[in-house]
Amino acid sequence: MGYSDGISSVSGNVKGRPYLGLTGTKLNAWVTVACTTAMTLFGYDQGVFGGIIVTPSFLETMGNPDPNLQGTIVSLYDIGCFFGAISTFVFGERLGRKKSLIIGVIIMSIGAILQITAFSVAQMIVARLVTGFGNGINTATSPVWQSETSKPTLRGKLVVLGMIMNVAGFSLSNWMTYGFSFLSGSISWRFPIAFQLVFSVIMLATIPWLPESPRWLLAHGRYEEGVQVLVALEGAHATDKDEVIINERDKILEAVRIEREASPSWRDIIKGNTGGTGMVSRLVLGAGTQWMQQLVGINVTSYYLPLVLQNSVGLSNNLARLLAACNSVSYLAFSFFGIVLIERAGRRRLMMWGAAGQCVCYILISGLLSQASNPVNGTKFGAGATAFFFVYYVFFGICWQGVPWLYPAEINSLSMRTKGAALGTASNWMSNYIVVQITPTGIASLGWRFYLIWMVFNAVFVPLIWLVYPETANRELEDIDILYRENKSMIVVFNNKDAIQIERPQRFIDADKERIDKLAHSDTQVDKSTISVTSDSKEAKADNVEKLEQV
């Protein structure tokens, strides 16, 4: 396909200075600030209740709930997140990335205010559901927006950075609740909850003036605006006549054309009739990473580590809080290794290495805790188990913290990217809910045997990932579309070199060079006046694509 080199510079026709005059790396950095703040808020909100659920003032205000009700108060947040993600699945593609995030932040802020002012279990449950709904929208949208505005060489690193900031938020919440545990009264838990509004303010101050995803704009017929964003993200030196802009634009438009030609109805998707695009398999793979992230056992401890250390290991309330806070710092520090390894090791290897290491940790945790009640050396066994909880977080922080949030945005096609990310996020929250709901009761009922469940899951995931998960590192987002079009109904991937190698396959690189060479020697131009970019209707979009295809 070849498209216009003759359209006048979009950026030069825009009144004023879009995006506050920022372009290139600086503009990408501010998009990253907005996305990482969303993930920091997610981490903070996820971790803050781990310290609050053992706070005497909170428990007294809520009528001293039993372990089952404690699990319900904490876990219903995940149900809210699930429905928030599902709403993004339904409406997110229509609204776009920016509008979805703004709506999510506003809803989450309302939920936070309801939590701050809660004096009963009923209000707290409603508040947790509302907060979760907003967070579900944010977590389904932020990785997609980050992925679609980033260069391929930076995409994995930036999404992993977002998840590192998620850990930073988690760590901050642990230290916040530990510090406020020395105060008496409701401020010991109301202020830590209120602090999350700081992140909401940052997001509402940045998202409105940042660019929409260029892929979303081009896919929805907003051609001129989409090219403008591509130019702005490339840098101040760029124009819409540059080969790199033309090549990027053409690949997106070609993906749009192919998706529209082969795009199946929901009835076809349910039946598995997707025209050989692998759409159902890709949706399942993306959602699968999110299910696996929860079933490796992270939120057994993320929500409840102080409780785990008190009830399973036998530590005092104060020491359990302190160790949980110290663990969060270790968790944060090792998460930075994920940035280094995400492209070098690839998605497949990180997930397999992580699952294997976590499996070993849970074997040792279970064995040591089984002896922790020994009156002779029980303290030493308990200390050993605590150490391996720390080691578990090292493996998870490096290998599993970022990949499941990045993978759904990479594996799914352009037309299904928002839906795929939303479905993956919904899967995460549903499995999260199950884990968080059963953990207090599981610890009380099964003791050390409860941790064997997560050992088994980790062991199973290693061969599963090796068999069916293709590599997405160092690929253009459109490369995955080509892979599945050429390998219709592909499920098993371990014997397909293009599907599992870490480096981008050379033939994809050669295809890009060939496309650029054709554009450089082509005199074909598209008259700007023949392309309608002002209407967002289905008819206008279809007409635009048809005219572009004719070139």
Side-chain angles (χ1 to χ4, degrees):
M1 293 178 65
Y3 299 101
S4 165
D5 293 329
I7 297 177
S8 61
S9 176
V10 176
S11 57
N13 291 338
V14 177
K15 296 180 180 179
R17 302 180 70 195
Y19 321 126
L20 302 184
L22 298 175
T23 60
T25 302
K26 291 182 179 178
L27 184 57
N28 275 277
W30 276 103
V31 173
T32 302
V33 167
C35 291
T36 54
T37 301
M39 303 315 286
T40 306
L41 174 56
F42 163 33
Y44 184 89
D45 209 50
Q46 188 177 37
V48 72
F49 249 76
I52 287 174
I53 203 69
V54 292
T55 300
S57 175
F58 173 81
L59 294 172
E60 183 180 345
T61 302
M62 297 298 138
N64 294 305
D66 60 26
N68 187 55
L69 185 53
Q70 288 180 24
T72 299
I73 293 171
V74 177
S75 64
L76 282 176
Y77 169 80
D78 299 318
I79 293 296
C81 290
F82 170 79
F83 283 107
I86 290 295
S87 73
T88 309
F89 185 89
V90 177
F91 301 109
E93 189 62 29
R94 185 185 311 170
L95 292 171
R97 316 316 185 212
K98 286 177 57 177
K99 287 182 181 178
S100 295
L101 275 172
I102 291 170
I103 291 169
V105 174
I106 292 171
I107 294 173
M108 201 170 181
S109 300
I110 293 170
I113 293 169
L114 290 173
Q115 287 186 74
I116 297 164
T117 59
F119 282 92
S120 67
V121 170
Q123 182 176 341
M124 182 57 73
I125 286 176
V126 171
R128 294 284 289 167
L129 286 167
V130 172
T131 307
F133 191 91
N135 191 53
I137 296 173
N138 290 348
T139 52
T141 306
S142 177
V144 176
W145 191 31
Q146 181 78 83
S147 297
E148 293 185 339
T149 54
S150 305
K151 296 181 184 299
T153 54
L154 294 175
R155 186 175 63 239
K157 293 181 177 69
L158 290 176
V159 174
V160 170
L161 176 62
M163 297 316 300
I164 287 173
M165 294 309 295
N166 171 272
V167 180
F170 172 75
S171 179
L172 177 61
S173 69
N174 275 267
W175 285 107
M176 182 76 72
T177 53
Y178 175 68
F180 275 79
S181 69
F182 293 99
L183 300 178
S184 59
S186 64
I187 193 174
S188 63
W189 61 274
R190 294 190 193 274
F191 185 88
I193 292 175
F195 190 79
Q196 65 187 281
L197 293 172
V198 172
F199 304 112
S200 298
V201 170
I202 294 172
M203 292 178 68
L204 292 174
T206 54
I207 295 170
W209 58 268
L210 289 170
E212 180 56 89
S213 159
R215 286 177 169 83
W216 183 86
L217 292 167
L218 289 169
H220 287 76
R222 293 162 66 173
Y223 180 84
E224 188 169 350
E225 190 179 349
V227 174
Q228 172 198 325
V229 174
L230 287 175
V231 171
L233 291 170
E234 185 64 24
H237 62 281
T239 71
D240 57 10
K241 297 181 181 180
D242 291 348
E243 288 183 352
V244 65
I245 299 298
I246 295 168
N247 183 48
E248 185 69 14
R249 178 198 65 193
D250 287 359
K251 285 192 295 184
I252 295 170
L253 288 170
E254 184 174 5
V256 171
R257 177 184 65 81
I258 293 171
E259 284 296 333
R260 283 176 176 164
E261 287 178 351
S263 182
S265 65
W266 281 111
R267 181 179 296 178
D268 289 331
I269 291 173
I270 293 171
K271 291 181 178 179
N273 302 323
T274 58
T277 61
M279 191 175 292
V280 173
S281 297
R282 294 159 77 179
L283 284 170
V284 171
L285 288 171
T289 60
Q290 296 280 25
W291 272 95
M292 288 190 291
Q293 189 190 49
Q294 293 307 308
L295 296 179
V296 298
I298 182 60
N299 279 321
V300 171
T301 53
S302 286
Y303 281 89
Y304 295 116
L305 188 55
L307 186 68
V308 168
L309 294 177
Q310 281 184 241
N311 292 4
S312 293
V313 182
L315 302 182
S316 67
N317 183 292
N318 186 64
L319 183 57
R321 285 176 181 272
L322 178 59
L323 287 177
C326 290
N327 173 67
S328 70
V329 175
S330 170
Y331 182 22
L332 174 61
F334 281 98
S335 293
F336 281 96
F337 285 93
I339 293 182
V340 178
L341 294 174
I342 188 69
E343 302 298 346
R344 294 182 183 180
R347 313 333 182 207
R348 281 165 50 88
R349 287 184 184 177
L350 280 185
M351 289 193 290
M352 288 189 288
W353 292 346
Q358 290 156 192
C359 176
V360 172
C361 287
Y362 270 125
I363 290 172
L364 294 170
I365 287 169
S366 300
L368 290 166
L369 287 180
S370 70
Q371 302 299 315
S373 59
N374 188 314
V376 180
N377 294 311
T379 302
K380 293 181 180 180
F381 286 114
T386 302
F388 281 103
F389 276 119
F390 275 60
V391 176
Y392 171 89
Y393 272 91
V394 170
F395 280 105
F396 186 89
I398 295 173
C399 302
W400 275 91
Q401 177 65 16
V403 174
W405 293 95
L406 173 62
Y407 201 87
E410 292 185 322
I411 192 66
N412 285 294
S413 62
L414 177 63
S415 65
M416 296 299 291
R417 193 161 292 138
T418 298
K419 294 182 177 67
L423 182 62
T425 306
S427 300
N428 181 284
W429 291 117
M430 181 52 66
S431 53
N432 197 328
Y433 166 75
I434 294 170
V435 172
V436 174
Q437 178 65 44
I438 67 173
T439 292
T441 304
I443 292 172
S445 302
L446 299 176
W448 63 268
R449 296 175 183 83
F450 180 67
Y451 302 100
L452 293 175
I453 297 171
W454 317 108
M455 176 204 72
V456 172
F457 278 124
N458 278 284
V460 169
F461 292 154
V462 176
L464 178 65
I465 294 163
W466 179 74
L467 281 170
V468 302
Y469 273 85
E471 184 58 70
T472 57
N474 302 304
R475 266 66 163 182
E476 299 279 355
L477 293 175
E478 290 71 31
D479 290 348
I480 309 299
D481 294 332
I482 297 172
L483 177 68
Y484 275 91
R485 287 201 300 270
E486 293 178 347
N487 299 274
K488 292 178 170 55
S489 304
M490 179 176 68
I491 296 177
V492 175
V493 301
F494 73 93
N495 56 353
N496 185 328
K497 184 179 179 181
D498 284 348
I500 64 172
Q501 70 181 61
I502 297 172
E503 301 80 12
R504 189 185 184 199
Q506 185 61 41
R507 63 191 186 88
F508 293 152
I509 299 172
D510 294 340
D512 279 353
K513 291 179 179 178
E514 183 180 352
R515 184 185 295 108
I516 291 174
D517 289 340
K518 286 182 179 179
L519 287 168
H521 294 88
S522 174
D523 294 326
T524 304
Q525 294 184 348
V526 177
D527 184 356
K528 180 182 176 182
S529 64
T530 66
I531 302 176
S532 168
V533 296
T534 58
S535 173
D536 204 27
S537 68
K538 292 182 180 179
E539 293 78 7
K541 295 175 198 171
D543 186 52
N544 288 346
V545 174
E546 182 179 353
K547 290 174 181 177
L548 289 166
E549 289 171 358
Q550 291 171 358
V551 177

